[in-house]
Amino acid sequence: MLHSKSVQTEIGGYISTLLRMHFGKGPTSVFVTIKFPFITAHIRGFLEPTEKCLLN
């Protein structure tokens, strides 16, 4: 289980860095869960206020 946590942390850091490189702004947090055969990533705090308004 310890190995799984380090992989989840590494994937979350990679996603955060990738978003920061391509959009100039990173998310507040990235939570990654691995449950075979799926990997889910919950990205928080990435939308700008204008984008939030458009979604509503």
Side-chain angles (χ1 to χ4, degrees):
M1 189 69 165
L2 182 60
H3 177 69
S4 178
K5 284 292 185 187
S6 65
V7 171
Q8 292 173 356
T9 304
E10 192 171 333
I11 292 172
Y14 178 75
I15 291 171
S16 182
T17 302
L18 193 65
L19 290 172
R20 193 174 299 111
M21 283 176 19
H22 289 283
F23 293 99
K25 171 187 178 296
T28 303
S29 60
V30 178
F31 298 104
V32 176
T33 305
I34 301 172
K35 186 79 169 183
F36 186 78
F38 304 105
I39 298 176
T40 59
H42 183 118
I43 301 170
R44 298 184 67 177
F46 185 64
L47 293 178
E48 295 288 332
T50 306
E51 295 164 335
K52 288 179 187 177
C53 180
L54 289 172
L55 284 174
N56 288 332

